[in-house]
Amino acid sequence: MRKILVGLSWGWLLVFALIPLLMLFVVSFFHRGVSEFFVVGFTLENYIRLFDPIYFTVFFKSVVLALVTTVFCLLLGYPFAYFMASYGKSARSYLMILVIIPFWTSSLIRTYATMLILRTNGLLNTILLKFGIISEPLEILYTEWAVYIGMVYTLLPFMILPLYSAVEKLDRQYLQAASDLGASPWQTFIRVTLPLTLPGIIAGSLLVFLPALGLFYIPDILGGAKSLVVGSFIKNQFLAARNWPFGAAISVFLCLMMGAGIWLYLWVKKRVSPEEARS
Amino acid sequence: MMELVRKAYLSFILLFLYAPILILIAYSFNSGTYSTEWEGFTLDWYKSLAKSSDLLEITFNSFLLAFLAATGATIVGTAAAIALKRYQFLGKKAMQGLLFALLMSPDVVMGIALLVLFVALRMDLGFFTLLLSHITFGIPFVIVTVMGRITSLDENLTQAASDLGASEFQTLHKVILPLLWPAVLSGWLLAFTLSMDDVIISFFVSGPDFEILPLRIYSMVRLGVKPEINALCTILFILTMAIVFTSRKLVGDEE
């Protein structure tokens, strides 16, 4: 029995996870092929090319996009999680389901629906024009704003859930103690609440930041052809430019960046709550 | 005052999360084809959806794929979760690390890694490559779900079973699996929805002879969407809601 269970799980993961990832790593050192996908050989040129300003800009823009998305999600999600945790048990689980449902529905369909709202003759403009808030329709679709709205919209639940579980665990007696000792609500928030919910903030930020780096269809659909992010950049190298070794090198670099992010998270977590990290 | 601010803010965020879904449902009943104005109620799109065998076939493909992929991922994932919990074996730490990497690695990287594998194995891209890929990305999610319950499993029960002479298989079949059942089921549901939703990995490993819904919608969104899609999405949304509530009820009843 033990052999079957271990063999099945290890066998599958070996063939369909470890070997493909290792192959990708190996391909990133190959030469580009003319008629085939790659030519076996060793070169570092794919990695050197990454530092070409043209490609580096794509990386930089993707990181900025992911960071801004993370910050917006945090700013919108924190009050939500905080307010949510202040309700009674039944209201909380009700709110929880409401946050989870969008996560269970196709994000592609929801992105498409966002497009319907944001386009020039879409719902948002129609409403704003009717109420006389604007006189000219806003051009949001196919701009960076649309990409940010779409990203925040898709990833917000990933921020809210870990934040909520951090805020929920917060011992309210500490807040009481702080205010008894004369701290203003703002001081209590900065000095007590924020540090105690830091693990939730970091976990949520990671859950938003990592997918935000790789998602390519949201910038593709909402940003039009103008926004090239690292995800679609990799996609193009594999499907359009047919330069697999370079595409593989970009992927390896992307994974390294994400690995650094995760390492930072674990490091901060250890510092913030040493007892929890040890258990 | 504070109460008002709190309610207003929660409603605002929920509106933000639900507006696109509600709009989509509303448009599926709108008689205007491409306009955003409300031009009257109609069921035409549902009727023409029922007649469009092409879209229905693709939807069926997606369901078939998600069903098989979720089942495969649940079998492998549950086996892995039990192995990780109950046994010591060679490369256990490495397997945990690999699972973490699989969970964290961006979909686009997983997609191209699998593409490289299938090309190296000279496999034709299509149904089987999609199925193998979908099983693979579902596995870590099943493991996480099942692991959550295994850790709360009372070890005295399995100990008692083997003391009473049950073989390892009997213990698994009669004690562990019945206790894990709700977690296995919600792992299956999670793998199912992830498979139905996946765009990125499928994008790389699919071929022309087996089309699935997310990829069709993706190509449509860029070229122009037929109103039938709104109707189809509405039906899928209602189905998802039904699945979510059933699974919550199943898991909730256990707690």
Side-chain angles (χ1 to χ4, degrees):
Chain A
M1 204 62 230
R2 173 172 174 261
K3 269 191 191 140
I4 298 173
L5 294 182
V6 174
L8 178 66
S9 40
W10 240 135
W12 192 284
L13 291 172
L14 199 67
V15 177
F16 295 107
L18 188 61
I19 292 177
L21 289 172
L22 287 177
M23 284 171 88
L24 191 67
F25 182 69
V26 172
V27 167
S28 74
F29 293 101
F30 285 175
H31 294 282
R32 176 181 194 172
V34 182
S35 55
E36 57 273 82
F37 295 120
F38 46 77
V39 176
V40 179
F42 180 81
T43 177
L44 282 175
E45 83 183 79
N46 301 311
Y47 287 95
I48 294 164
R49 246 180 108 189
L50 280 177
F51 294 95
D52 188 316
I54 310 169
Y55 304 121
F56 209 77
T57 324
V58 177
F59 257 103
F60 184 73
K61 274 168 84 178
S62 301
V63 172
V64 171
L65 173 68
L67 272 179
V68 173
T69 304
T70 310
V71 170
F72 271 117
C73 282
L74 184 61
L75 292 178
L76 287 173
Y78 200 97
F80 190 92
Y82 194 84
F83 291 149
M84 189 172 149
S86 65
Y87 276 98
K89 197 163 184 272
S90 72
R92 274 188 306 197
S93 71
Y94 187 61
L95 282 167
M96 181 78 119
I97 301 177
L98 283 175
V99 175
I100 292 174
I101 285 171
F103 162 79
W104 284 78
T105 54
S106 163
S107 57
L108 186 63
I109 294 172
R110 288 181 290 125
T111 306
Y112 155 64
T114 313
M115 193 174 127
L116 292 180
I117 294 179
L118 296 180
R119 66 184 177 188
T120 314
N121 59 351
L123 189 78
L124 186 69
N125 274 320
T126 314
I127 291 176
L128 291 178
L129 284 170
K130 266 210 178 108
F131 286 96
I133 299 167
I134 50 170
S135 53
E136 288 282 309
L138 300 170
E139 298 285 343
I140 303 176
L141 193 62
Y142 305 133
T143 65
E144 288 199 340
W145 281 104
V147 179
Y148 284 128
I149 293 173
M151 296 285 268
V152 170
Y153 166 66
T154 306
L155 296 168
L156 188 60
F158 292 94
M159 178 65 90
I160 290 178
L161 295 175
L163 277 180
Y164 166 72
S165 65
V167 175
E168 201 201 12
K169 263 191 269 169
L170 191 72
D171 191 341
R172 306 258 156 180
Q173 284 181 340
Y174 286 137
L175 309 185
Q176 191 59 48
S179 81
D180 287 350
L181 292 168
S184 70
W186 178 244
Q187 281 175 318
T188 312
F189 180 73
I190 293 289
R191 307 287 287 268
V192 182
T193 312
L194 213 52
L196 285 174
T197 51
L198 195 59
I201 293 175
I202 299 166
S205 304
L206 210 60
L207 282 178
V208 171
F209 184 77
L210 294 182
L213 265 183
L215 273 178
F216 63 75
Y217 57 90
I218 293 175
D220 240 26
I221 293 172
L222 296 174
K226 276 175 284 182
S227 54
L228 188 60
V229 292
V230 63
S232 49
F233 192 45
I234 296 175
K235 182 193 84 179
N236 290 343
Q237 291 304 317
F238 270 80
L239 300 180
R242 296 254 161 195
N243 189 349
W244 284 26
F246 186 45
I250 308 168
S251 316
V252 172
F253 191 68
L254 180 65
C255 288
L256 286 179
M257 276 188 352
M258 291 186 162
I262 293 166
W263 181 81
L264 195 70
Y265 162 65
L266 294 173
W267 185 78
V268 173
K269 197 177 166 191
K270 224 186 199 158
R271 294 238 143 171
V272 174
S273 52
E275 350 41 273
E276 217 176 287
R278 230 178 280 136
S279 65
Chain B
M1 181 59 205
M2 194 56 206
E3 180 58 27
L4 200 69
V5 173
R6 200 160 66 171
K7 278 219 170 85
Y9 188 79
L10 291 175
S11 319
F12 167 72
I13 294 289
L14 287 175
L15 185 71
F16 175 61
L17 288 178
Y18 281 86
I21 299 171
L22 297 176
I23 290 300
L24 203 68
I25 295 176
Y27 278 142
S28 77
F29 295 108
N30 186 8
S31 61
T33 316
Y34 293 109
S35 80
T36 35
E37 294 278 321
W38 181 254
E39 290 182 13
F41 181 85
T42 180
L43 284 175
D44 285 355
W45 310 127
Y46 289 88
K47 284 180 197 147
S48 66
L49 175 69
K51 280 191 222 119
S52 124
S53 54
D54 176 41
L55 269 181
L56 291 180
E57 191 196 316
I58 295 174
T59 312
F60 175 75
N61 283 352
S62 274
F63 270 103
L64 180 71
L65 176 69
F67 184 85
L68 296 175
T71 308
T74 306
I75 293 170
V76 183
T78 308
I82 294 172
L84 282 171
K85 171 69 186 170
R86 284 181 63 79
Y87 309 129
Q88 291 303 322
F89 55 88
L90 195 69
K92 187 173 171 175
K93 272 255 160 9
M95 187 161 139
Q96 283 166 331
L98 183 61
L99 283 169
F100 186 69
L102 201 58
L103 208 55
M104 283 296 175
S105 67
D107 285 354
V108 60
V109 174
M110 219 40 234
I112 56 171
L114 285 161
L115 175 66
V116 170
L117 176 80
F118 295 140
V119 167
L121 293 175
R122 305 199 188 287
M123 285 176 76
D124 285 329
L125 296 181
F127 174 70
F128 279 104
T129 52
L130 271 171
L131 180 60
L132 293 171
S133 308
H134 280 220
I135 290 177
T136 307
F137 74 69
I139 289 173
F141 292 95
V142 174
I143 295 181
V144 169
T145 316
V146 175
M147 270 296 200
R149 193 161 176 102
I150 285 190
T151 36
S152 64
L153 203 70
D154 190 350
E155 279 187 27
N156 291 328
L157 291 173
T158 54
Q159 194 58 51
S162 67
D163 286 350
L164 291 168
S167 70
E168 187 64 26
F169 175 76
Q170 284 172 319
T171 313
L172 191 70
H173 179 66
K174 301 260 167 158
V175 181
I176 299 178
L177 280 181
L179 287 170
L180 286 184
W181 191 235
V184 172
L185 198 65
S186 51
W188 187 91
L189 281 169
L190 186 57
F192 184 87
T193 26
L194 286 170
S195 167
M196 284 293 284
D197 190 26
D198 177 70
V199 185
I200 299 180
I201 294 176
S202 306
F203 195 84
F204 292 99
V205 298
S206 67
D209 53 326
F210 191 83
E211 231 188 316
I212 53 170
L213 197 59
L215 292 182
R216 168 58 76 93
I217 296 175
Y218 186 43
S219 64
M220 269 187 157
V221 166
R222 291 186 296 177
L223 299 172
V225 173
K226 290 197 286 180
E228 286 88 350
I229 286 286
N230 295 345
L232 184 58
C233 292
T234 303
I235 296 174
L236 289 179
F237 176 70
I238 291 165
L239 264 177
T240 318
M241 295 276 284
I243 294 175
V244 173
F245 278 103
T246 328
S247 75
R248 281 200 64 98
K249 215 170 154 41
L250 282 173
V251 179
D253 283 351
E254 284 289 317
E255 277 162 9

